[in-house]
Amino acid sequence: MTVISRLRAPTSILLKRRLTASRNSHGLPLAASLSARWLSNDTAAASNEGARYSDVLIVGGGVVGCALARQLNQRLPSLSVHLVEARDAPTSKPASSNEIPHPRSYALSPQSLDILGLLSSEETTSDEMANQDVKLGWYDAMQIWEARNPATLRFHADDLPFDEAKLDRPKMLGAVVEDGPLVRALWEKLESHPQTTISTNTTVQDLQLSSNGQGVVTVETSDNEIHQTRLLVAADGAQSPIRQRLGVKQAQWDYGRQALTFTVELSQDDRIPRTAYQRFIHGQEAGRGPLALLPTHSPRHAIVVWSTTPEMVKKWKETDDNNALIDHLQNLLQTGPQRLPPLVESKPGQVPPLLSNVLFGVERLLETVQDAGAMLAATNSRSWMAPPKLSKIVSPKLSFPLACRNVGQYHHASNRVVLVGDAAHTVHPMAGQGLNLGLGAVESLVESIVESEAVGMDVTYGLDSFLRKRHAANSSVIMGIHALHEIFAVQDNVPLMHAKSFGMNVMQQVGPLRRRIVQAATQGVVF
Ligand SMILES: Cc1cc2nc3c(=O)[nH]c(=O)nc-3n(C[C@H](O)[C@H](O)[C@H](O)COP(=O)(O)OP(=O)(O)OC[C@H]3O[C@@H](n4cnc5c(N)ncnc54)[C@H](O)[C@@H]3O)c2cc1C
């Protein structure tokens, strides 16, 4: 831990309001409210005496906050970083911990794994975090389907372009990583860095910006410390007290859905291949919404992420009959794509023969175009494969509310406050992109600080251009995921179902298009 230099605080005080962390239904201190306690300028100025200084102050020690601190330590070792986290420091791995992966896990792209230092030529063996129990559930393929649709999307690592610079790396679509071991490994690295200090069980109480956007940000924390920093980064999660405190506007769509997630053991003789599965479920009774089965580092275990109605989540989360839940999911996952109903369902004589012939012709034409695409792309091996069978639930069942949110920009008008990770955006988990987007912004933020330092400028010098670009890129992914969610929600409109099926088949069969999508999902390439 570093001895922190002390600076005199600026006297310009704007307004101060008290932020209080509260706990959500899972007991996590993530939500915050403004208790509208206003401090007088004199009180505030007096409390700034003897403030602790850091070049970058990060609030929130989740994966995004820790990854940012770690990247800064690595790229700019002399930059001082302070991390404020509301919870305890992660505990070291309990001796009794077994091989069952925790359901709080993320499917991460190779680019994100790289940012986290989890990719190396020898896969996990020589990696800097390998000896700290960050185990990866690699996957080379993704299979996406709707049982009521004769279309399957199957993406494979072979779709990725040849990259000479990465020849020494495993070619894969991504890996599933558990949150706990990942945060613990990052945390341990931060603790041993001489320019990094950490406050745990601490929240931000007050925040003041200098009136002209110059100078420093002053932060009062719940441990009665006053901090000053050139850059305040809010990585404090979806309920971000700092975002709320600053009144940052955001676009928001509440899906009225929740995600239910847990770990399952596979049937005796089944192993999960290096494949991530996702089926879109239709029908109120089945529990409409995407159902994913993700590989883990243990070939005998997989993680279920089921995004569905709150009623369905409540029913299955509260049930004691986990066997019934397994049977239900088994049934859904083992049902492959089927033929669609005809464009017009009619009894003989109901539709004029001419119209009936035209519709028949349209259906055949769609099929022919799709078959021709299949022959051209020569991808016959990519037909639907049944996922492994499930045996039992072996973890707690967790649930999360789902919303799509996106702030208008990542840096606040003051230019000294930046929002990253879930503090800036959340997306539907169906594409497994939330953390990937947050880590992409971390990369841009670090690049901008590195460039600013290289030319001897203030850390905020390059923020605008770097973060604007990243915001535009992330926003298009967020909109894309939202649009996909809406498209897959279509279930009773037969012509639209035909169009969707056609679109999926075209995406699957037209090689260049499919490869572009795989590239976008794994390397953050934006169309
Ligand atoms: C069901 C589900 C599945 C998902 N699957 C994927 C996936 O496969 N791939 C993917 O990329 N993304 C996925 N996501 C998204 C991913 O979970 C989030 O994007 C990611 O966890 C965000 O990390 P974060 O560090 O920004 O926020 P968080 O993990 O929420 O961390 C915020 C931190 O800030 C701390 N904090 C909060 N308030 C304060 C305060 N006042 N003061 C100090 N500290 C504070 C908290 O204690 C916490 O440690 C999924 C999300 C869900 C709901």
Side-chain angles (χ1 to χ4, degrees):
M1 296 272 173
T2 337
V3 175
I4 300 170
S5 55
R6 289 170 187 268
L7 283 188
R8 265 188 76 80
T11 48
S12 66
I13 306 297
L14 288 181
L15 50 89
K16 297 182 62 131
R17 278 190 281 177
R18 186 149 290 257
L19 294 163
T20 50
S22 60
R23 289 176 187 264
N24 67 15
S25 54
H26 309 294
L28 300 175
L30 299 180
S33 61
L34 299 177
S35 69
R37 187 169 84 85
W38 295 79
L39 301 183
S40 73
N41 285 358
D42 288 348
T43 316
S47 66
N48 284 347
E49 293 300 325
R52 298 169 62 167
Y53 174 79
S54 48
D55 294 316
V56 179
L57 177 70
I58 302 167
V59 178
V63 178
V64 170
C66 288
L68 172 61
R70 177 76 187 128
Q71 281 270 306
L72 289 173
N73 286 175
Q74 287 179 310
R75 302 283 302 275
L76 296 165
S78 60
L79 204 78
S80 59
V81 176
H82 187 75
L83 181 69
V84 174
E85 165 56 37
R87 296 186 281 197
D88 279 334
T91 46
S92 48
K93 194 180 177 192
S96 62
S97 72
N98 53 27
E99 287 298 294
I100 298 178
H102 194 275
R104 182 144 190 206
S105 295
Y106 315 107
L108 295 181
S109 67
Q111 201 178 2
S112 295
L113 295 168
D114 207 7
I115 293 169
L116 292 166
L118 291 171
L119 264 194
S120 74
S121 43
E122 292 85 10
E123 293 208 1
T124 55
T125 48
S126 76
D127 175 74
E128 62 157 355
M129 298 225 240
N131 53 359
Q132 302 198 31
D133 298 315
V134 182
K135 294 183 184 154
L136 307 178
W138 303 98
Y139 54 92
D140 315 308
M142 275 185 226
Q143 174 173 291
I144 302 159
W145 79 104
E146 283 185 297
R148 294 176 61 206
N149 223 1
T152 302
L153 291 175
R154 244 187 109 80
F155 300 127
H156 197 275
D158 291 343
D159 290 321
L160 290 170
F162 172 74
D163 186 345
E164 205 171 337
K166 293 181 181 160
L167 260 183
D168 59 343
R169 293 187 167 179
K171 206 173 176 191
M172 38 76 193
L173 294 186
V176 175
V177 187
E178 286 172 86
D179 176 87
L182 177 56
V183 171
R184 194 160 52 231
L186 288 165
W187 195 276
E188 281 170 13
K189 293 279 174 200
L190 298 179
E191 278 181 328
S192 63
H193 194 273
Q195 283 295 80
T196 297
T197 48
I198 302 176
S199 311
T200 52
N201 292 307
T202 306
T203 54
V204 171
Q205 297 285 297
D206 294 305
L207 170 63
Q208 69 186 73
L209 310 168
S210 68
S211 49
N212 55 6
Q214 303 297 309
V216 291
V217 180
T218 305
V219 169
E220 186 187 331
T221 46
S222 57
D223 53 357
N224 296 323
E225 290 279 1
I226 304 287
H227 296 262
Q228 292 197 316
T229 183
R230 288 194 282 153
L231 184 64
L232 172 65
V233 181
D236 48 353
Q239 304 302 323
S240 173
I242 293 181
R243 187 190 65 234
Q244 295 181 31
R245 158 70 178 81
L246 294 173
V248 176
K249 291 202 168 50
Q250 52 179 354
Q252 178 158 350
W253 301 267
D254 189 348
Y255 288 115
R257 295 280 189 274
Q258 292 182 5
L260 181 64
T261 180
F262 47 87
T263 307
V264 289
E265 190 178 297
L266 303 176
S267 292
Q268 199 66 40
D269 45 358
D270 244 335
R271 294 267 183 284
I272 189 157
R274 290 166 54 129
T275 302
Y277 300 88
Q278 182 147 261
R279 185 198 148 176
F280 286 84
I281 316 290
H282 293 296
Q284 198 64 39
E285 278 160 35
R288 63 175 63 164
L291 168 64
L293 188 69
L294 303 175
T296 67
H297 59 79
S298 154
R300 299 277 306 117
H301 297 98
I303 289 170
V304 168
V305 185
W306 186 14
S307 309
T308 185
T309 58
E311 299 75 38
M312 200 52 88
V313 168
K314 186 170 185 304
K315 170 183 164 186
W316 289 117
K317 192 176 175 187
E318 288 175 1
T319 185
D320 292 329
D321 189 358
N322 279 345
N323 288 339
L325 175 54
I326 285 287
D327 287 347
H328 183 65
L329 297 181
Q330 189 93 278
N331 201 17
L332 294 170
L333 286 169
Q334 296 298 321
T335 310
Q338 285 152 23
R339 285 193 75 84
L340 281 173
L343 271 173
V344 173
E345 196 108 51
S346 60
K347 295 197 178 92
Q350 252 183 355
V351 176
L354 182 61
L355 178 58
S356 177
N357 286 343
V358 168
L359 291 173
F360 182 78
V362 169
E363 278 177 29
R364 294 294 78 75
L365 183 67
L366 290 177
E367 270 177 19
T368 308
V369 172
Q370 292 173 34
D371 289 349
M375 282 162 68
L376 277 175
T379 58
N380 324 359
S381 61
R382 292 172 183 250
S383 50
W384 183 82
M385 313 267 285
K389 296 221 172 86
L390 318 181
S391 163
K392 59 180 176 198
I393 295 174
V394 288
S395 79
K397 291 179 272 184
L398 311 177
S399 63
F400 302 87
L402 300 181
C404 175
R405 294 184 303 95
N406 192 18
V407 294
Q409 57 178 30
Y410 293 151
H411 58 301
H412 182 252
S414 70
N415 208 30
R416 293 213 174 264
V417 186
V418 168
L419 303 164
V420 283
D422 277 18
H425 47 69
T426 55
V427 290
H428 196 289
M430 63 179 242
Q433 285 299 325
L435 183 53
N436 286 312
L437 294 174
L439 291 171
V442 162
E443 193 180 36
S444 297
L445 179 55
V446 172
E447 276 315 320
S448 94
I449 297 174
V450 167
E451 271 211 18
S452 304
E453 291 279 310
V455 293
M457 301 298 283
D458 183 82
V459 282
T460 59
Y461 174 71
L463 280 186
D464 189 63
S465 66
F466 273 90
L467 291 185
R468 256 182 220 290
K469 251 188 251 166
R470 178 59 69 170
H471 184 270
N474 277 3
S475 297
S476 54
V477 175
I478 290 169
M479 290 314 295
I481 294 170
H482 185 59
L484 274 180
H485 178 266
E486 299 303 298
I487 290 169
F488 277 104
V490 169
Q491 57 172 343
D492 296 323
N493 185 321
V494 174
L496 274 182
M497 282 163 70
H498 274 268
K500 186 167 49 170
S501 177
F502 179 70
M504 279 175 75
N505 279 320
V506 167
M507 222 186 271
Q508 176 63 41
Q509 311 297 1
V510 179
L513 178 60
R514 189 184 64 250
R515 285 190 279 277
R516 198 88 173 111
I517 291 166
V518 176
Q519 233 179 313
T522 55
Q523 297 170 357
V525 177
V526 176
F527 289 91

